[in-house]
C-alpha cells in the first residue's frame, strides 16, 4: 500500500522535498579598509578580506569581485570603467576593467614602486594615476601610454593621502610628516608645504580653484589659500575627523563620535547635527554621494544620507556570524549576528537595516508575527521586546532578572494567551507575560515564574504548538519538558553523549526533536519520554534542527557547514546541501517550503525547493529519450546508418552504436561510408566515440569492429584537429593496453596458422 497523503492547514497536499538549489545569497562585501565611489557615484569599490568587491548601491549587492586571496589589496581607486588595486605581497598595481568579467577584466599590471603602495588617486579626466608608497616617493602615471610621467621626492614617512586638483594640473599629498604638499605637474616642482596639522591628515575638500579645506585627527578643519600657500583660518570640531565632504554650501564631517555634522564656514559654526545614535559607532570614511553623503562605519555598515543628514539606506557590509534567523513581517526576516545589533533583511532586495538597543551580543531572537512582536536576548542579561510599527520595530519593554547571558527566547503560539519564555547561562527558565495576558499591556510585562532548569548552561528553549509544554536543552546532555502554565518538570530526555544545541516540538505529532554535539539527532515520544528514532550522518556537532513538510521531514545543520534533509519515518538522509564554509548556526523554513540558512562565514543562503521542477524535468527527459530511441530504431530500419550512428552517440547508447557500426561494415562499401560519416563528427562526438571504442576494445568479440572504426578515425582528415586535444588523452591511453593484447593474440594466431599450413604442405609433399 502507498503512503497516505498529508495536507497542510490550507488544504494543499504536502510533498516530500528532495532537491534544493540556491535562489539567492547575501554575501559579505565589506570587511574593513577602504571604500571608494566611482565617478557616477552609483557603485562602490569595497575591500573584502584580501579582495575588492564592486557593490551596486541601488540594490546593495556585489556585482563583481577582483583580486587574489594570497595577495592582499592595500589601497584602491577607480572611475566608471577602470579599477586600480595595489597589492601587498607583489608590490603590483593592477588595472581592471571592472564592468568586464573573467580573464578580460585584468587589463595590465605593473610594479610602480619597489615597496608596497599605500595611496593612489585618479585625476578628473582619468588620464593620470598617482601612487605613493612606504618609501616616501610619489609617482604619476599616464594610463593610456603606460609610463611614468613624474616622480616627486621630499615627503618623509609613508604617503597616506593623494588627491588631484579638480581643475588644475596639480597634485596634493600628505604623509607621516603631517605636511600637505602641493606639486605642480607642469613644472614638476613642489609649490608649497602647508604646515599646520599636528596629526595625520585624513581629508581634503576644494571650495574653489584656490581655496581648499583639510581635516585630520587633530580635531580641526583648516582653510588654506592654494595660491599663496597660507593658512586662512582654523575651525575646531572637537573630534577626530575621519572624513569630510562638501554638501551644497555646507561642509559635512564624520569621525569618532559617530555623528554627522554640517558646518557653515562663513559662520564658523555647526548648523546641523545628527542625534547621537543609540549604540556608539565610529565613522572611518565619508564620501559625497548623489546630492548627499555616504558614511562608512567601523562595524562595516555603509550609510547613505540625504542633504539633511537623514538616513536613506543602510547597507550591511559584513554580518559576522549569523546565529539566528526568524520571520518578520511580510517580505522580511530578522537576523541575530555576532553583534549588539539586530538585522532586518528584505528577502526580495536583500537590503538590510539595523535595530540597536542591546549593549552586548544578541544571542537569540524570536517573533510572533500574529501579534507583531519581536523578542531578543543578549549577553547583557536582558530580553528586549519590540513591537512592529509599519515596517519598523519599536522597543516597548526590557525584561530584567537574569544574572547571566540570555541564550534563548521563544514566544507562545496561540493568539488568546500570549507569553514569552527565556533561558540563560544562570541555569534558569523564566516565563514572562503582560498583565492579564493582554497584549495591549505588553509594556507592563512581568516575570510569572522562575525555575532552575539544568545543571549547566542552557542553549535553547521552544514552546509547543498548543502552548501547554516547554522544552529546554542544555550542555548537561539532557533536554527537559516543562508544563507551560506552572513550570513543573514533566520529563527528562536522556541519551545524548554531548550537550544539546537545539530542541523542537513536532507540528503534527507528540514528539520532540533534539540535536547535539555528538553529531546525531534524536526524536523523543512525549508519552513516555523515550527515544524512538536516531538520525546519524553528520560528522560534526548538529547546531540546529527544524521540522518541515508538516513534520514528515527534518532539516538539520552542523559545524562543518552542511545542511541535511531527513525523512522522519525512515531516518534516511534525503539530500545534503553544501554552500557554507564554516559553522552553520541558523535555519528558517519559509512558507513556500524553502530554507534560509546562516553561518559563521557571514553567508545568508536562500534555498528554493525544486523537487517538483526536477521531477517534471526528469519526466520530460524520459519522454524525449523515448521518442529519440524510437527515431533511432526507425533510422536503422530504413538503412539510414549515418544518422543512426550520430543519434546513438548523442543518446549515450554504446551498444546501439556498435550495432550500427557493424551493420555499416557489412555493406559492400561499408568502409567508405564509415570514413565519410566520421568526417562530419564534432569534437564532443569524437570524444564520446573514443570512449565507446575503449569499451568495445575490451571484448574480443567486438575487437575487429573497434579497430576498424579506430583506423577509419585515424585516417580521416579530422585527425590533425583532434590529435593534440588534451581532453582525449585519457581515451587514447585506455585503447593502448587491449590493442597491444589483441595484436599479440593475432600475431600468435598467424604464427600458428602459418605452421599448420607448412605442416600441411609437407604432408602433401611426402605423399607425392
Amino acid at each position: 500500500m502507498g503512503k497516505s497523503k498529508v495536507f497542510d492547514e490550507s488544504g494543499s497536499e504536502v510533498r516530500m522535498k528532495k532537491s534544493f538549489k540556491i535562489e539567492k545569497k547575501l554575501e559579505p562585501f565589506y570587511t574593513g579598509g577602504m571604500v571608494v565611489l566611482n565617478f557616477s557615484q552609483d557603485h562602490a569599490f569595497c575591500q573584502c578580506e584580501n579582495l575588492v568587491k564592486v557593490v551596486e548601491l541601488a540594490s546593495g549587492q556585489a556585482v563583481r569581485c577582483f583580486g587574489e586571496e594570497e595577495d592582499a589589496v592595500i589601497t584602491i581607486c577607480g572611475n566608471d570603467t577602470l579599477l586600480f588595486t595595489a597589492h601587498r605581497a607583489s608590490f603590483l598595481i593592477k588595472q581592471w576593467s571592472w564592468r568586464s568579467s573573467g580573464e578580460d577584466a585584468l587589463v595590465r599590471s605593473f610594479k610602480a614602486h619597489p615597496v608596497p603602495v599605500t595611496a593612489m588617486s585618479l585625476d578628473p579626466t582619468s588620464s593620470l594615476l598617482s601612487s605613493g608608497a612606504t618609501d616616501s616617493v610619489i609617482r604619476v602615471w599616464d594610463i593610456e601610454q603606460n609610463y611614468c610621467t613624474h616622480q616627486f621626492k621630499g615627503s618623509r614617512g609613508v604617503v597616506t593621502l593623494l588627491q588631484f586638483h579638480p581643475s588644475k594640473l596639480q597634485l596634493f599629498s600628505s604623509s607621516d610628516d603631517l605636511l600637505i604638499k602641493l606639486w605642480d605637474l607642469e613644472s614638476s616642482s613642489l609649490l608649497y608645504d602647508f604646515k599646520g596639522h599636528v596629526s595625520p591628515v585624513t581629508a581634503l575638500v576644494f571650495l574653489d580653484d584656490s581655496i581648499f579645506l583639510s581635516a585630520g585627527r587633530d580635531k580641526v578643519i583648516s582653510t588654506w589659500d592654494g595660491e599663496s600657500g597660507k593658512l586662512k583660518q582654523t575651525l575646531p570640531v572637537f573630534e577626530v575627523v575621519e572624513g569630510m565632504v562638501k554638501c551644497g554650501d555646507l561642509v559635512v564631517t564624520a569621525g569618532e563620535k559617530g555623528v554627522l555634522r554640517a558646518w557653515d564656514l562663513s559662520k564658523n559654526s555647526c548648523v546641523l547635527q545628527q542625534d547621537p545614535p543609540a549604540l556608539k559607532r565610529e565613522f572611518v570614511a565619508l564620501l559625497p554621494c548623489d546630492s548627499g553623503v555616504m558614511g562608512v562605519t567601523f562595524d562595516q555598515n555603509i550609510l547613505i544620507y540625504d542633504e539633511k543628514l537623514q538616513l536613506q539606506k543602510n547597507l550591511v557590509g559584513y554580518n559576522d556570524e549569523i546565529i539566528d534567523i526568524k520571520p518578520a513581517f511580510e517580505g522580511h526576516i530578522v537576523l541575530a549576528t555576532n553583534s549588539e545589533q539586530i538585522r532586518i533583511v528584505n528577502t526580495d532586495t536583500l537590503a538590510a537595516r539595523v535595530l540597536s538597543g542591546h549593549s552586548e551580543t544578541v544571542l537569540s531572537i524570536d517573533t510572533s508575527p500574529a501579534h507583531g512582536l519581536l523578542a531578543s536576548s543578549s549577553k547583557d542579561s536582558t530580553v528586549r521586546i519590540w513591537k512592529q510599527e509599519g515596517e519598523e520595530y519599536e522597543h516597548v519593554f526590557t525584561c530584567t532578572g537574569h544574572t547571566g547571558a540570555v541564550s534563548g527566547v521563544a514566544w507562545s503560539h496561540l493568539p488568546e494567551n500570549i507569553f514569552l519564555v527565556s533561558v540563560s547561562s544562570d541555569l534558569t527558565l523564566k516565563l514572562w507575560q503582560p498583565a492579564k495576558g493582554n497584549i495591549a499591556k505588553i509594556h507592563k510585562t512581568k516575570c510569572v515564574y522562575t525555575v532552575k532548569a539544568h545543571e549547566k548552561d542552557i542553549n535553547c528553549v521552544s514552546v509547543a504548538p498548543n502552548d501547554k509544554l516547554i522544552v529546554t536543552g542544555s550542555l548537561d546532555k539532557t533536554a527537559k519538558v516543562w508544563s507551560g502554565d506552572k513550570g513543573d518538570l514533566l520529563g527528562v530526555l536522556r541519551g545524548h553523549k554531548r550537550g544539546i544545541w537545539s530542541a523542537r516540538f513536532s507540528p503534527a505529532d507528540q514528539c520532540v526533536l533534539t540535536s547535539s554535539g555528538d553529531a546525531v539527532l534524536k526524536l523523543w515520544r512525549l508519552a513516555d519520554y523515550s527515544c524512538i528514532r536516531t538520525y546519524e550522518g553528520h560528522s560534526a556537532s548538529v547546531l540546529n534542527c527544524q521540522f518541515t513538510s508538516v513534520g514528515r521531514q527534518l532539516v538539520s545543520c552542523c559545524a562543518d557547514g552542511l545542511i541535511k534533509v531527513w525523512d522522519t519515518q525512515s531516518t534516511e538522509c534525503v539530500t545534503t546541501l553544501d554552500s557554507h564554509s564554516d559553522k552553520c548556526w541558523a535555519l528558517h523554513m519559509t512558507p513556500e517550503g524553502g530554507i534560509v540558512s546562516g553561518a559563521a562565514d557571514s553567508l545568508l543562503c536562500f534555498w528554493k525547493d525544486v523537487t517538483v521542477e526536477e521531477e517534471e524535468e526528469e519526466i520530460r527527459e524520459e519522454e524525449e529519450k523515448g521518442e529519440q530511441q524510437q527515431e533511432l530504431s526507425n533510422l536503422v530500419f530504413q538503412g539510414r546508418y549515418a544518422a543512426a550512428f550520430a543519434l546513438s552517440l548523442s543518446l549515450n547508447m554504446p551498444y546501439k552504436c556498435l550495432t550500427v557500426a557493424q551493420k555499416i561494415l557489412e555493406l559492400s562499401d561499408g568502409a567508405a561510408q564509415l570514413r565519410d560519416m566520421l568526417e562530419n563528427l564534432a569534437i564532443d562526438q569524437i570524444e564520446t566515440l573514443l570512449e565507446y571504442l575503449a569499451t568495445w576494445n575490451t571484448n574480443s568479440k567486438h575487437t575487429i569492429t573497434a579497430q576498424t572504426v579506430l583506423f577509419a578515425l585515424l585516417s580521416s582528415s579530422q585527425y590533425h584537429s583532434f590529435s593534440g586535444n588534451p581532453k582525449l588523452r585519457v581515451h587514447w591511453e585506455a585503447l593502448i593496453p587491449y590493442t597491444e593484447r589483441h595484436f599479440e593474440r593475432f600475431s600468435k594466431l598467424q604464427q600458428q596458422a602459418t605452421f599448420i599450413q607448412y605442416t600441411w604442405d609437407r604432408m602433401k609433399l611426402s605423399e607425392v
Side-chain angles (χ1 to χ4, degrees), residues 415-470:
E416 58 270 13
N417 183 31
I418 187 167
F419 63 86
L420 175 70
V421 291
S422 62
V423 292
S424 168
S425 61
D426 63 10
L427 314 183
T428 63
L429 163 69
K430 289 180 180 287
L431 186 142
W432 311 83
Q433 193 170 35
K436 300 180 181 180
N438 187 352
I439 191 173
K441 298 182 179 180
I442 193 70
H443 58 285
K444 295 182 179 180
T445 299
K446 295 182 179 180
C447 180
V448 177
Y449 61 75
T450 301
V451 179
K452 183 184 178 183
H454 290 271
E455 298 302 319
K456 291 186 179 180
D457 288 2
I458 307 173
N459 288 330
C460 58
V461 63
S462 183
V463 180
N466 61 5
D467 291 349
K468 293 183 179 180
L469 301 176
I470 299 169

Side-chain angles (χ1 to χ4, degrees), residues 412-664:
S412 58
H413 301 286
L414 301 180
E416 58 270 13
N417 183 31
I418 187 167
F419 63 86
L420 175 70
V421 291
S422 62
V423 292
S424 168
S425 61
D426 63 10
L427 314 183
T428 63
L429 163 69
K430 289 180 180 287
L431 186 142
W432 311 83
Q433 193 170 35
K436 300 180 181 180
N438 187 352
I439 191 173
K441 298 182 179 180
I442 193 70
H443 58 285
K444 295 182 179 180
T445 299
K446 295 182 179 180
C447 180
V448 177
Y449 61 75
T450 301
V451 179
K452 183 184 178 183
H454 290 271
E455 298 302 319
K456 291 186 179 180
D457 288 2
I458 307 173
N459 288 330
C460 58
V461 63
S462 183
V463 180
N466 61 5
D467 291 349
K468 293 183 179 180
L469 301 176
I470 299 169
V471 63
T472 57
S474 167
L475 289 179
D476 63 10
K477 308 176 187 178
T478 66
K480 295 184 179 181
V481 181
W482 312 82
S483 65
D485 52 353
K486 297 181 181 180
D488 295 330
L489 178 62
L490 302 179
V492 181
L493 311 179
R494 292 187 174 91
H496 282 293
K497 298 178 181 179
R498 292 191 179 181
I500 293 175
W501 286 103
S502 181
R504 308 287 178 191
F505 285 98
S506 170
D509 302 308
Q510 294 185 359
C511 299
V512 170
L513 177 67
T514 57
S515 65
S516 167
D518 57 11
V520 300
L521 298 96
K522 289 181 179 291
L523 191 66
W524 310 81
R525 184 188 293 115
L526 288 175
D528 55 4
Y529 306 107
S530 62
C531 177
I532 55 177
R533 289 183 185 88
T534 299
Y535 305 85
E536 298 179 341
H538 283 291
S539 58
S541 299
V542 186
L543 303 176
N544 204 332
C545 58
Q546 299 281 349
F547 283 95
T548 186
S549 305
V550 194
R552 297 177 67 190
Q553 289 182 289
L554 318 174
V555 181
S556 60
C557 60
C558 72
D560 60 9
L562 296 179
I563 300 169
K564 291 183 179 290
V565 181
W566 309 81
D567 186 304
T568 306
Q569 296 296 326
S570 68
T571 71
E572 292 181 357
C573 177
V574 178
T575 185
T576 299
L577 311 179
D578 185 7
S579 181
H580 295 288
S581 59
D582 207 340
K583 298 181 183 71
C584 186
W585 288 103
L587 289 174
H588 164 58
M589 309 308 299
T590 67
E592 297 80 18
I595 302 172
V596 184
S597 61
D601 56 7
S602 186
L603 183 62
L604 184 69
C605 292
F606 293 79
W607 302 86
K608 181 183 178 182
D609 176 21
V610 293
T611 305
V612 175
E613 290 88 335
E614 289 197 358
E615 289 177 351
E616 292 176 350
E617 182 64 25
E618 288 178 4
I619 294 172
R620 189 160 48 250
E621 288 177 356
E622 286 295 328
E623 291 176 350
E624 291 178 357
K625 188 174 181 180
E627 293 174 357
Q628 291 175 332
Q629 288 176 349
Q630 182 61 49
E631 182 184 358
L632 177 60
S633 299
N634 294 340
L635 291 172
V636 174
F637 180 76
Q638 296 166 7
R640 299 167 58 186
Y641 298 125
F645 191 85
L647 184 57
S648 61
L649 285 175
S650 63
L651 290 177
N652 194 22
M653 300 175 69
Y655 183 75
K656 195 69 175 179
C657 189
L658 173 65
T659 304
V660 174
Q662 289 171 340
K663 287 184 176 296
I664 294 174

Side-chain angles (χ1 to χ4, degrees), residues 273-420:
Q273 178 175 322
Q274 289 181 321
D275 295 329
L279 191 67
K280 188 178 185 302
R281 68 184 177 210
E282 293 183 26
F283 283 101
V284 296
L286 191 66
L287 304 167
C289 180
D290 193 23
S291 73
V293 296
M294 185 178 82
V296 183
T297 64
F298 183 75
D299 56 359
Q300 295 94 32
N301 285 329
I302 296 178
L303 310 175
I304 299 176
Y305 300 90
D306 61 14
E307 64 277 2
K308 296 181 180 179
L309 306 187
Q310 297 297 312
L311 182 64
Q312 300 299 304
K313 184 178 289 188
N314 184 354
L315 304 180
V316 179
Y318 183 62
N319 283 312
D320 205 347
E321 293 193 33
I322 301 174
I323 55 179
D324 205 358
I325 305 172
K326 289 296 187 296
F329 42 87
E330 184 177 0
H332 293 76
I333 55 175
V334 186
L335 308 181
T337 64
N338 193 25
S339 72
E340 305 88 351
Q341 299 171 332
I342 302 168
R343 265 73 163 171
I344 303 174
V345 178
N346 186 310
T347 55
D348 293 326
T349 65
L350 299 185
R353 53 187 183 274
V354 298
L355 288 178
S356 298
H358 285 285
S359 59
E360 292 190 46
T361 302
V362 176
L363 298 177
S364 177
I365 51 177
D366 194 26
T367 57
S368 177
H371 300 98
L373 295 175
L374 164 68
S376 58
S377 64
S378 167
K379 286 184 178 180
D380 61 11
S381 304
T382 67
V383 176
R384 283 182 170 252
I385 299 176
W386 313 75
K387 185 168 178 58
Q388 180 186 342
E389 298 292 342
E391 291 194 351
E392 296 291 342
Y393 281 107
E394 299 291 338
H395 174 246
V396 293
F397 190 74
T398 301
C399 305
T400 58
H402 283 292
T403 58
V406 186
S407 51
V409 288
W411 284 106
S412 58
H413 301 286
L414 301 180
E416 58 270 13
N417 183 31
I418 187 167
F419 63 86
L420 175 70

Side-chain angles (χ1 to χ4, degrees), residues 641-643 645-646 664 669-682 709 712-713 715-718:
Y641 298 125
F645 191 85
I664 294 174
D669 60 343
Q673 286 194 31
L674 185 62
R675 283 195 298 271
D676 294 340
M677 182 179 61
L678 296 179
E679 293 286 350
N680 300 320
L681 293 183
V709 174
L713 184 62
S715 303
S716 69
S717 60
Q718 291 204 74

